[in-house]
């Protein structure tokens, strides 16, 4: 096959590739990373590069305007080499550190009932062994096991090969006085007499000396780690960071697609491990003192099913394909070295149990953290992160569904969309007379784009001021230069180029609006069909709990105006922040919390919406602002009539 | 510190080392391997090199004659660099393939009672799973575990992360019909409902298809592997090879010393793993068909305690130092990938239980293979390999001891000693008139040295013909040129230079004889003190079983004449060959055999001789031929008187 030379303006290295090679692969060969938020499906348009010279063939130009194509732009994931090519690679979007964190360390309350000695699965015991002599040549392991049985009551303790290798040295270094750290396992209950040895240390350790544990939430977008002292239960440090997998797809589907296209290797596993390991180092640095990654002996992990599969290197392809089955909802307890998390190699890794492909342990942990499983109040729990999961129920029953909402509210699929970082427009007000907007920007700098809460706010304002109609169509007849025909059709300009960080107009296009309507429509259809399927009408819902960091910044009024949230009294809504990491933290601490999450997972009935005709109908009806049936949104109706 | 240049005649590479560096370390730096049969203790003299030029300091010249030293010879492990040095490295002894193997495949009888379905811990079950659909989105693992519970009766099956990763693919490849291979564990008995998944294969497997297992005996000198089909129990192939650790010490003490001197790294572990893995490949090649290392799902391993520690990378230093304690006598079940054995990564590795530092699982397995633990006959079991272990007892009780016999009968510590390979003199006859010897050589070639059975034979003949007296002193007054004063004192020439392979006289020196007397004295003292300690006199012993390949070639009459074996009727002796691998094979097959070995280990009382004054006294009395007290050897007394 003929080979062609591909050179890039960002590196001196040019590569020689066979005809038909994807530009993306040529770039990778040259050591250039090109972000692929959609995982290489040609959907997001973020991998666009500019062909300066040479022959290529574009399989798809979705998300490129005719003008872009005329300028030579091409999607790296959809364009193949057909001759020697010179390529300009635009500056790749840097994923900036999240500005806002969730609950601060001081905000996290240790559960009042927490008792290290009874609730915690980790035990620390000091042992004094008899010294061997010529009349007692018992082997080290038997001597140790006898001491732990007699002095700590564990009849059966499993010891790994790694610990067997260090046992003799530690016994002698401690002059036959040692401290053992054990995991008694959550399944057995408090009376357990079996345990797994995690570590053995020479000498005794003061009782108040912390035993470190980590609660980890692996979100599709953000990974959060809390470092806690298992003795007191207190959280000592927290850190969040974008999930390193983002460059390989913004949503779970994109990542599964990416993995399939790239030989199902370890890349995504290694990316999220790198993120987790960096965060663990960071929380230990923050906490100081004895906190070091290698001294963390237990980690509880929550995440959606895809995130858990990718973390463990378990193929996730079946999650994406009908009938949407996971390989495992409840992973066995693993050790840190098996998983690749850089804490104590024998540390227990407890991936909390999920329910289905699209209802993972982020939801079971979240439900536990929200307390809805213990309350008689009829509650709708919603976690709108990169995916949208919804749980309805009370202490008596729980039903759940997932809607492939798409990450539109996280800025993907929207031309000017961005994440909630510095420079993002997070709230918009539009003057009903001249259609001039005002807005608030995170970090009070010139805006670079619009984040989720900004998009909800913008959509609501455009609707309430008549810039768009209930179908989302822009009114081209209004007397304002902000509404215009752009490269991708009709659009409304939120910020003019001279006021923006990028030097380009920030606008919302008709296509963007369609994407946003589909997302909010899917979420509305999700919870309304879920409620209907158990004979509950939305008005009956007594409280609505919203998890996920996204929720915190939503303006309830505006979210109701666009039909994203149901039309309930405002005091019915509670924003809980990151319930997933909070649930993981509870599970890290307490045997009972851990059991509750298992119970939630086993009693939660999953309803598959994609097989449900009612969902499709509800979705179609919800593609309007706020809804085809205005009687479902009486407060919005009233506001519109009041104008 | 001053640096000096050391150059070697076997490589162009010279090295620069600080003053005071051992020649051995300088050679290693230059990439030259010098054998260290004694582990670098300066005891064996095999690491001698010749200093052609330059300044060195000899810390010890043991095993070198004044003539050797005058010629520039120096022990590489005992000589330090004090100036630029040029070194001649003699050709290192090649470790040749053993000529003789043990029982042939055809000789091994499958225990008549062996029933795969009940005796074997490994199970193979075919499962048909319901296919997932939109109404049944159960995760793969739960679906699999349900099938295995319903169709095979296992209530609890542990699945490793590695198998979780392949589970989904295999289920789909087999279109929801799969074959699981499980280990039900030996501890639970036949009614066990818990199991560990070893492998999962798509589709069904014919019932007669072999399931491969390996029995492994790790001797200090030789490693033996038997490949068996667990379904029929039949042994399909066997292979033996020198333990790759030999170059780092001929006995266990030398290897522990070597390890300590060389940073306690992985070297010895990797050497024996290489030997084992080569043998596993070899048996699979021999067996052909479906036999492949990666299809071996279980291995039972017997070996002395040091060999098991070194295999598992567990520090063995405490074995050598008073109070002589092992790290572990009974290792937990491990997986092949943990240990580093190149068979199926999840294969069960069962290191059989030992009793003490110097009574390992080679002995417990050997006792089981010998059947003495089931018989009322009062039996003395002896395994004279590189170490000497002795067990006395019956089905009612067992006592054991070890004597640091030293490897003299394996050729070490004897100038002309060699292993039982081609060119070794294995039997000697001496004419009582002219003191001329005749001998038989393995392979019928010119002799290169004398192996263990040859040394016993030689010693007995020299004694019975009066060449040596009962104290082992050579009679310098006999009229034969074969008795002479050599470089290391008095010696007897067995073969003149013109008849040898090496072109040098093969002689046995006074020092050699002393070494042999010490070895046989230690063994005699071992079993006699052992018997005495339980109130048994040697005449009461009803049978004497001799394990170890060494035993097979011993001439009983001559072994009694030198006082190595007790003076019992010849029909009391049985030579069993490699009982260790036979016991490992029985344990590989049958749950009951495996339990018997555990029982043997727990009921065997270990008697520490090094702490016993009686041993020292018995040893001193046994340093004569056949013994100070001739009444203990009436048959020898009679023969001497009859001359």
């Amino acid at each position: 096959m003929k080979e062609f030379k591909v050179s890039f303006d960002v590196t001196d290295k040019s590569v020689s590739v066979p005809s038909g090679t994807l530009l993306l692969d040529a770039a990778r060969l040259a050591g250039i990373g090109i972000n692929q938020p959609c995982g290489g499906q040609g959907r997001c348009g973020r991998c666009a590069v500019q062909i300066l010279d040479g022959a290529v063939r574009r399989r798809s130009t979705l998300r490129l305007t005719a003008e872009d194509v005329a300028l030579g732009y091409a999607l790296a994931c959809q364009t193949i080499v057909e001759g020697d090519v010179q390529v300009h690679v635009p500056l790749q979007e840097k994923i900036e550190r999240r500005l806002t964190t969730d609950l601060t360390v001081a905000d996290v309350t240790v559960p009042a009932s927490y008792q290290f000695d009874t609730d915690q699965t980790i035990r620390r015991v000091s042992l004094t062994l008899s010294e061997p002599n010529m009349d007692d040549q018992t082997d080290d392991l038997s001597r140790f096991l006898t001491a732990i049985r007699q002095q700590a009551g564990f009849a059966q303790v499993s010891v790994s090969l790694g610990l067997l290798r260090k046992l003799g040295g530690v016994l002698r270094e401690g002059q036959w006085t040692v401290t053992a750290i054990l995991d008694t396992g959550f399944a057995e209950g408090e009376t357990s007499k079996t345990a797994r040895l995690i570590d053995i240390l020479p000498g005794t350790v003061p009782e108040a000396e912390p035993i470190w544990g980590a609660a980890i939430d692996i979100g599709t977008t953000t990974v959060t780690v809390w470092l806690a002292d298992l003795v007191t239960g207190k959280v000592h440090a927290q850190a969040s960071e974008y999930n390193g997998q983002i460059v390989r797809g913004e949503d779970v589907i994109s990542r599964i697609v990416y993995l399939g296209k790239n030989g199902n290797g370890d890349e995504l596993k290694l990316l999220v491990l790198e993120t987790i390991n960096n965060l663990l180092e960071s929380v230990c640095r923050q906490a100081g003192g004895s906190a070091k990654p290698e001294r963390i002996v237990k980690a509880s992990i929550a995440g959606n099913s895809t995130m858990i599969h990718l973390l463990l290197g378990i193929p996730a392809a079946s999650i994406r394909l009908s009938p949407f089955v996971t390989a495992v909802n409840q992973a066995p307890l693993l050790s840190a070295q098996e998983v690749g998390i850089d804490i104590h190699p024998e540390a227990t890794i407890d991936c909390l149990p999920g329910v289905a492909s699209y209802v993972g342990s982020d939801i079971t942990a979240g439900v536990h953290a929200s307390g809805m499983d213990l309350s008689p109040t009829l509650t709708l729990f919603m976690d709108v992160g990169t995916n949208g999961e919804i749980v309805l129920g009370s202490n008596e029953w729980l039903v759940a569904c997932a809607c492939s909402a798409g990450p539109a509210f996280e800025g993907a699929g929207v031309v000017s969309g961005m994440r909630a970082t510095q420079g993002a427009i997070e709230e918009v007000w539009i003057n009903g007379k001249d259609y001039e907007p005002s807005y608030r920007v995170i970090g009070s700098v010139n805006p670079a784009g619009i984040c989720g809460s900004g998009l909800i706010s913008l959509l609501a304002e455009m609707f309430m001021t008549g810039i768009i109609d209930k179908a989302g169509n822009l009114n081209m007849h209004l007397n304002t230069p902000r509404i215009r025909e752009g490269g991708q059709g009709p659009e409304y300009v939120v910020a003019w180029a001279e006021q923006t960080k990028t030097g380009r107009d920030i606008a919302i296009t008709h296509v963007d609006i369609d994407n946003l309507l589909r997302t909010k429509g899917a979420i509305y259809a999700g919870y309304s069909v879920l409620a209907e399927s158990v004979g509950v009408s939305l008005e009956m819902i007594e409280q609505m709990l919203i998890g996920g960091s996204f929720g915190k910044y939503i303006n309830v009024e505006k979210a109701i105006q666009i039909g994203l949230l149901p039309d309930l009294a405002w005091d019915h809504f509670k924003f809980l922040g990151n319930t997933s990491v909070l649930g993981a933290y509870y599970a890290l601490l307490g045997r009972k919390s851990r059991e509750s999450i298992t119970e939630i997972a086993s009693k939660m009935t999953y309803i598959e919406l994609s097989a449900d005709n009612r969902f499709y109908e509800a979705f179609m009806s919800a593609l309007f602002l706020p809804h085809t049936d205005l009687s479902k949104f009486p407060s919005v109706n009233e506001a519109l009539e009041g104008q």
Side-chain angles (χ1 to χ4, degrees), chain A:
Chain A
M1 184 170 287
K2 220 170 159 190
E3 295 249 332
F4 295 113
K5 188 177 139 184
V6 183
S7 38
F8 300 90
D9 63 348
V10 291
T11 174
D12 291 338
K13 191 178 168 192
S14 64
V15 294
S16 180
V17 296
S19 173
T21 300
L22 272 183
L23 276 181
L24 193 70
D25 294 329
R28 188 176 299 145
L29 212 59
I32 301 165
I34 294 181
N35 290 348
Q36 296 173 73
C38 74
Q41 301 178 93
R43 286 198 297 102
C44 70
R46 300 278 180 95
C47 65
V49 294
Q50 193 179 11
I51 309 301
L52 301 176
D53 192 35
V56 298
R57 184 156 57 84
R58 292 169 175 81
R59 288 180 183 154
S60 162
T61 56
L62 204 73
R63 317 290 303 171
L64 294 177
T65 62
E67 194 188 19
D68 288 338
V69 174
L71 284 170
Y73 281 96
L75 301 181
C77 76
Q78 298 294 326
T79 303
I80 59 176
V81 173
E82 296 198 328
D84 291 345
V85 188
Q86 283 181 40
V87 183
H88 161 65
V89 181
L91 201 63
Q92 297 297 298
E93 183 192 4
K94 284 283 187 314
I95 295 168
E96 290 166 41
R97 185 172 292 272
R98 207 173 178 74
L99 287 176
T100 51
T101 60
D102 213 62
L103 284 177
T104 61
V105 169
D107 291 337
V108 183
T109 315
V110 179
S113 65
Y114 181 62
Q115 290 277 345
F116 171 65
D117 292 339
T118 50
D119 296 343
Q120 184 51 245
T121 57
I122 302 292
R123 288 276 176 286
R124 180 168 59 192
V125 294
S126 286
L127 304 169
T128 304
L129 284 67
S130 62
E131 198 166 334
N133 57 56
M134 292 300 275
D135 294 323
D136 174 10
Q137 294 175 314
T138 308
D139 61 291
D140 294 342
L141 179 62
S142 303
R143 187 176 301 277
F144 172 71
L145 293 178
T146 300
I148 215 164
R149 184 177 66 242
Q150 293 177 344
Q151 295 169 42
F154 292 104
Q156 215 183 330
V157 173
S158 68
V159 179
S160 73
L161 184 53
L163 287 166
L164 267 183
R165 287 176 181 151
K166 74 182 262 194
L167 178 67
V170 173
L171 292 179
R172 286 167 184 80
E173 189 188 339
Q175 295 178 304
W176 310 95
T177 295
V178 294
T179 299
I181 299 185
L182 300 149
D183 189 338
T184 59
F186 51 80
E188 328 288 334
E190 291 171 31
T191 56
S192 161
K193 292 294 162 213
T194 69
R196 186 176 71 81
L197 185 66
I198 291 180
D199 204 1
I200 172 166
L201 307 162
T204 52
V205 175
E207 267 191 35
E209 176 80 19
I211 299 177
W212 297 107
I216 303 176
D217 165 46
I218 307 179
T220 310
T221 303
T222 309
V223 179
T224 300
V225 171
W226 290 8
L227 179 72
D229 170 12
L230 303 181
V231 178
T232 61
K234 194 168 167 294
V235 174
H236 282 242
Q238 301 171 315
S240 287
E241 186 55 89
Y242 284 116
N243 185 331
Q245 295 173 337
I246 282 185
V247 291
R248 298 294 172 252
E250 294 211 340
D251 54 39
V252 298
I253 299 298
S254 305
R255 291 191 203 160
I256 296 173
V257 169
Y258 176 86
L259 209 57
K261 286 191 175 184
N262 291 277
N264 294 309
D266 273 350
E267 185 185 354
L268 295 188
K269 183 179 85 174
L270 298 177
L271 284 170
V272 76
L273 280 173
E274 194 185 345
T275 303
I276 292 171
N277 290 332
N278 286 341
L279 287 170
L280 286 162
E281 269 194 29
S282 163
V283 287
C284 288
R285 252 196 322 271
Q286 282 176 52
S290 72
K292 291 190 181 64
E294 65 271 22
R295 298 200 51 182
I296 297 175
V297 297
K298 181 178 172 187
S300 297
I301 302 184
N304 66 57
S305 300
T306 302
M307 288 303 106
I308 299 298
H309 280 62
L310 296 183
L311 170 72
L312 300 180
I314 299 174
S318 64
I319 289 179
R320 187 182 144 240
L321 304 169
S322 173
F324 314 113
V325 169
T326 59
V328 52
N329 286 336
Q330 161 91 65
L333 291 181
L334 298 165
S335 71
Q337 64 190 343
E338 282 179 283
V339 178
I341 296 182
D342 287 342
I343 52 178
H344 192 292
E346 304 282 351
T348 302
I349 301 296
D350 180 13
C351 292
L352 302 175
V355 175
S357 276
Y358 298 104
V359 176
S361 54
D362 49 347
I363 301 308
T364 54
V367 163
H368 175 65
S370 80
M372 74 180 276
D373 63 317
L374 299 176
S375 155
T377 309
L378 179 60
T379 303
L380 185 66
F381 173 87
M382 196 162 98
D383 189 329
V384 186
T386 313
N387 311 296
E389 294 100 345
I390 301 158
V391 182
L392 180 66
S394 65
N395 56 352
E396 290 181 2
W397 52 272
L398 293 167
V399 291
C401 70
C403 38
S404 15
F409 287 124
E410 298 221 330
V414 174
V415 170
S416 297
M418 67 181 286
R419 299 194 190 87
T421 59
Q422 173 156 314
I425 294 174
E426 58 170 347
E427 181 123 42
V428 182
W429 301 267
I430 298 178
N431 184 318
K433 305 278 190 296
D434 58 9
Y435 310 107
E436 282 301 300
S438 54
Y439 45 77
R440 191 174 66 227
V441 179
I442 297 179
S444 303
V445 295
N446 280 344
I450 316 171
C451 67
S453 60
L455 288 167
I456 291 170
S457 177
L458 174 61
L459 210 59
E461 289 288 296
M462 291 199 295
F463 174 56
M464 298 307 281
T465 55
I467 292 173
I468 52 177
D469 64 14
K470 60 182 292 185
N473 296 312
L474 282 148
N475 184 345
M476 304 302 286
H477 306 299
L478 293 181
N479 181 24
T480 166
R482 291 190 179 260
I483 302 177
R484 66 182 186 195
E485 192 72 32
Q488 297 197 20
E491 61 187 23
Y492 172 80
V493 180
V494 182
W496 297 111
E498 58 269 26
Q499 289 143 10
T500 70
K501 194 174 162 189
T502 55
R504 295 171 65 172
D505 293 345
I506 294 175
I508 183 162
T509 70
H510 180 67
V511 176
D512 296 338
I513 294 168
D514 268 1
N515 274 337
L516 291 167
L517 286 184
R518 271 200 296 276
T519 297
K520 80 97 190 169
I523 293 169
Y524 180 86
Y527 61 72
S528 58
V529 170
L530 185 69
E532 194 188 331
S533 70
V534 288
V536 164
S537 73
L538 293 180
E539 310 90 72
M540 291 163 68
I541 290 168
E542 295 169 279
Q543 69 173 344
M544 177 139 185
L545 304 179
I546 299 178
S549 52
F550 166 71
K552 287 187 305 176
Y553 307 98
I554 297 183
N555 179 318
V556 173
E557 179 187 12
K558 292 183 175 178
I560 294 174
Q561 284 173 351
I562 67 167
L564 172 65
L565 295 181
D567 200 350
L568 303 174
W570 295 357
D571 63 1
H572 280 44
F573 295 93
K574 271 191 204 143
F575 296 97
L576 302 179
N578 189 339
T579 48
S580 175
V581 73
L582 189 62
Y585 163 67
Y586 290 158
L588 175 72
L589 287 192
R591 211 183 281 276
K592 284 192 207 97
S593 281
R594 183 60 181 77
E595 277 163 19
S596 295
I597 292 173
T598 301
E599 218 172 277
I600 289 168
S602 68
K603 90 173 175 198
M604 195 180 277
T605 306
Y606 175 69
I607 296 184
E608 176 66 54
L609 293 183
S610 69
D612 199 324
N613 272 334
R614 290 175 306 176
F615 176 74
Y616 183 71
E617 282 162 28
F619 172 66
M620 295 306 288
S621 309
L623 287 179
F624 294 85
L625 293 167
H627 194 272
T628 346
D629 180 2
L630 257 182
S631 74
K632 291 185 189 290
F633 286 86
S635 79
V636 184
N637 194 19
E638 204 173 301
L640 286 169
E641 284 176 350
Q643 280 183 327

